Amino acid sequence: MERLPGFRDFYPEPIPHKDVWSADARQYIFGKWREAARRYGFREYDGPPLESLELFTTKSGAEIVGQLYNFTDKGDRAIALRPEMTPTLARMVAAHERAYKKPIKWFALPQLFRYERQQKGRLREHFQFNADIFGERDAAADAELIALLIDTLRSFGLTAEDFVIRLSSRNAWQEFYERGVPGAERGTEGEYQFYQVIDKLERTPPEETEKKLAVLGFSLDIVNRFIEAGEPTVELKAMLDNLDARGLGDFVKVDYRVIRGLAYYTGPVFEAFDRKGEFRAIAGGGRYDNLVKLISGGKVNLPALGFGLGDVVLLELLIARGLLPQFDGGVDVFVLIEDETRRPDSLKLIQDLRSAGRVVEYSLTTAKPDKQFKRAQELKAAHTARVEAGSMVRVRNLSTGAERTVTAAEVGELIGLTNVLPHPGPLREQPSRFKP
Ligand code: HAM
């Protein structure tokens, strides 16, 4: 049985084949994403991977709708696997926004599904770090969000030489569009098509773009002149000043070639790219002040903005720049059981060390001493420990070779016990629906 094209198998390191993905690298990325979100005060949420088809068909725009994994379920509902998180989030926020103080700052790490043509950096399934803010119209929120994106990428060791955030504005393009087209042709359909042409500018031959623009009443020359002038709007200027004040000015530049493919953006938009231009967009986002209203049928009106940072391009970039660390099991100590009469004492030692937060490995069944030692080395264990007569324990540091005999209670300290697990506290009362 083969896996479906565009989907991934994640194996623990060392990965057995170049066609599979590293589960450790994925965990590493998720850890950095969560840590960056936490530093900026974002709270984690999640939603269902299946949604009603309608949530996406009216909100996301033609391109994503063409890539939907959708079907009719056994209850005759038209449903789809989520291709992006934003409509789900808007639905969730609209349902319970009163329970939360504004601005709402939330993040999620959803797996998303798009039936795309498979190519470098694009698969049919990927994970995204989504961070969004609701209830703030000021450009300070846009700057805060971009600062989070920059700091997230920086936490992997990437610098201003590796990536840049290209800032643009749907407002600026909307004004340009409205100025440039004779009244009769100014339908919303035309405007969205125009954005689609601009979105694909860099990936389409100029002759083709010229033709598409002519239908909409524009010329490539006029469009290019507008891009080259790159005059920042008032909001973009405020964002640039805000990011400058944080010392993050080098990570951003105004670039009107960015417009974003998704239909719901209303104001400032942005995309993160590698500086060398070798990869597809690492991340993208912007303001979508009308989506909550649209999704709630007019009941709730909240300004919103956010971004999605994908795991696929990010991983490609980290590998290319040599920034992905080596992963191993992180075993602190391998307990050697060379004499089976010592197994009960060894199990007690293993249990105590694990309770204290240490990563402990050992042989589940009887094994020759040299085999056990080899296994400890393969696992890159930092130490071995062997229970000896009188319940004393012989501990060996595998990198220095130094050996010492200590009491069982002293082993934790000897192997540098610093990582004690936080006490979990009392159990919370479960809501009644979870009771058996
Ligand atoms: P998006 O630009 O469609 O935005 O996706 C964001 C990022 O996800 C892309 O820059 C890319 O790195 C990654 N990505 C997208 N599609 C694929 C794919 N097929 N394979 C691998 N990676 C992919 C959104 O999805 C918006 N909902 C983001 C957002 C959140 N806007 C506001 N809040």
Side-chain angles (χ1 to χ4, degrees):
M1 293 284 271
E2 298 273 315
R3 67 169 181 269
L4 291 169
F7 285 76
R8 294 174 288 175
D9 291 327
F10 292 91
Y11 284 75
E13 299 263 358
I15 54 169
H17 193 270
K18 65 177 176 28
D19 277 355
V20 303
W21 294 65
S22 164
D24 294 294
R26 186 174 97 175
Q27 260 338 89
Y28 170 73
I29 288 175
F30 285 8
K32 294 277 185 200
W33 284 351
R34 285 207 165 90
E35 170 55 22
R38 196 185 61 77
R39 280 190 280 143
Y40 276 74
F42 282 64
R43 303 292 307 277
E44 187 160 0
Y45 70 95
D46 201 1
L50 280 176
E51 286 275 13
S52 69
L53 176 63
E54 196 196 349
L55 184 67
F56 306 112
T57 48
T58 47
K59 313 334 187 236
S60 299
E63 184 159 319
I64 257 195
V65 170
Q67 298 167 349
L68 279 174
Y69 267 96
N70 61 300
F71 56 97
T72 309
D73 76 1
K74 289 176 184 167
D76 258 343
R77 296 175 201 91
I79 56 178
L81 277 165
R82 59 188 177 196
E84 57 155 339
M85 198 59 179
T86 314
T88 295
L89 174 60
R91 177 179 65 66
M92 286 172 59
V93 168
H96 292 292
E97 57 94 13
R98 286 201 185 163
Y100 295 94
K101 293 248 165 17
K102 314 296 177 304
I104 291 170
K105 295 178 10 186
W106 286 0
F107 81 97
L109 314 185
Q111 189 173 22
L112 306 171
F113 304 88
R114 299 181 187 182
Y115 201 93
E116 287 205 51
R117 194 169 59 79
Q118 247 197 103
Q119 51 193 304
K120 188 165 169 258
R122 287 291 176 270
L123 301 170
R124 290 188 174 163
E125 149 280 312
H126 70 284
F127 289 91
Q128 257 185 29
F129 173 32
N130 271 244
D132 293 80
I133 302 177
F134 290 81
E136 182 52 70
R137 277 184 202 284
D138 197 279
D142 304 65
E144 176 80 351
L145 196 73
I146 289 167
L148 167 58
L149 175 55
I150 293 168
D151 272 343
T152 305
L153 294 173
R154 285 211 303 181
S155 72
F156 291 97
L158 294 164
T159 67
E161 274 160 32
D162 298 308
F163 74 93
V164 63
I165 316 275
R166 295 159 67 188
L167 293 180
S168 179
S169 164
R170 274 275 169 101
N171 299 340
W173 274 114
Q174 192 176 9
E175 270 174 35
F176 174 87
Y177 178 81
E178 282 174 5
R179 245 183 295 136
V181 177
E185 289 179 42
R186 249 189 260 149
T188 47
E189 181 72 13
E191 188 176 329
Y192 180 61
Q193 269 167 12
F194 175 74
Y195 292 167
Q196 292 288 101
V197 177
I198 303 299
D199 186 46
K200 305 217 167 20
L201 216 54
E202 290 168 279
R203 285 173 270 147
T204 315
E207 315 80 61
E208 210 176 299
T209 303
E210 186 79 79
K211 263 190 234 152
K212 285 187 183 156
L213 284 174
V215 176
L216 295 159
F218 288 91
S219 72
L220 184 55
D221 187 43
I222 290 177
V223 163
N224 278 339
R225 263 189 276 151
F226 177 73
I227 291 171
E228 272 150 35
E231 203 54 57
T233 61
V234 176
E235 300 139 317
L236 290 184
K237 179 79 177 57
M239 288 159 65
L240 290 169
D241 290 346
N242 183 310
L243 290 164
D244 263 340
R246 302 174 194 233
L248 298 179
D250 287 349
F251 290 91
V252 287
K253 68 168 187 202
V254 171
D255 187 339
Y256 283 150
R257 280 172 298 177
V258 170
I259 192 165
R260 306 283 293 138
L262 291 157
Y264 46 68
Y265 292 111
T266 52
V269 287
F270 53 89
E271 275 178 348
F273 281 91
D274 68 290
R275 285 266 187 199
K276 291 190 187 161
E278 290 169 39
F279 300 95
R280 299 193 56 147
I282 310 164
R287 260 202 186 262
Y288 50 99
D289 284 346
N290 301 331
L291 188 64
V292 175
K293 195 171 173 197
L294 196 71
I295 281 183
S296 67
K299 287 200 199 85
V300 182
N301 192 7
L302 270 182
L305 58 150
F307 68 76
L309 162 61
D311 68 328
V312 180
V313 180
L314 176 62
L315 190 64
E316 283 176 349
L317 181 61
L318 294 179
I319 292 170
R321 301 286 174 270
L323 289 171
L324 199 65
Q326 292 277 344
F327 300 104
D328 54 49
V331 173
D332 296 314
V333 57
F334 191 103
V335 175
L336 301 164
I337 308 173
E338 295 169 0
D339 173 354
E340 280 302 320
T341 64
R342 304 225 195 276
R343 188 169 282 269
D345 282 347
S346 302
L347 287 172
K348 175 77 172 73
L349 174 69
I350 290 162
Q351 185 65 24
D352 288 347
L353 288 170
R354 284 179 173 167
S355 297
R358 275 325 201 190
V359 183
V360 187
E361 267 289 9
Y362 69 104
S363 175
L364 288 173
T365 53
T366 309
K368 291 209 177 93
D370 59 336
K371 235 178 137 189
Q372 291 186 48
F373 189 71
K374 207 168 150 227
R375 184 81 188 116
Q377 286 179 315
E378 280 165 9
L379 289 168
K380 299 196 176 76
H383 305 84
T384 56
R386 190 175 50 221
V387 179
E388 298 190 330
S391 297
M392 293 302 279
V393 184
R394 187 94 178 139
V395 179
R396 180 167 171 189
N397 179 322
L398 290 190
S399 51
T400 64
E403 283 194 87
R404 270 183 67 187
T405 302
V406 294
T407 64
E410 289 166 334
V411 177
E413 207 179 317
L414 188 63
I415 64 175
L417 189 66
T418 49
N419 187 19
V420 180
L421 289 178
H423 192 271
L427 285 177
R428 217 172 58 180
E429 185 66 12
Q430 290 288 344
S432 58
R433 66 175 183 279
F434 293 126
K435 282 198 175 136

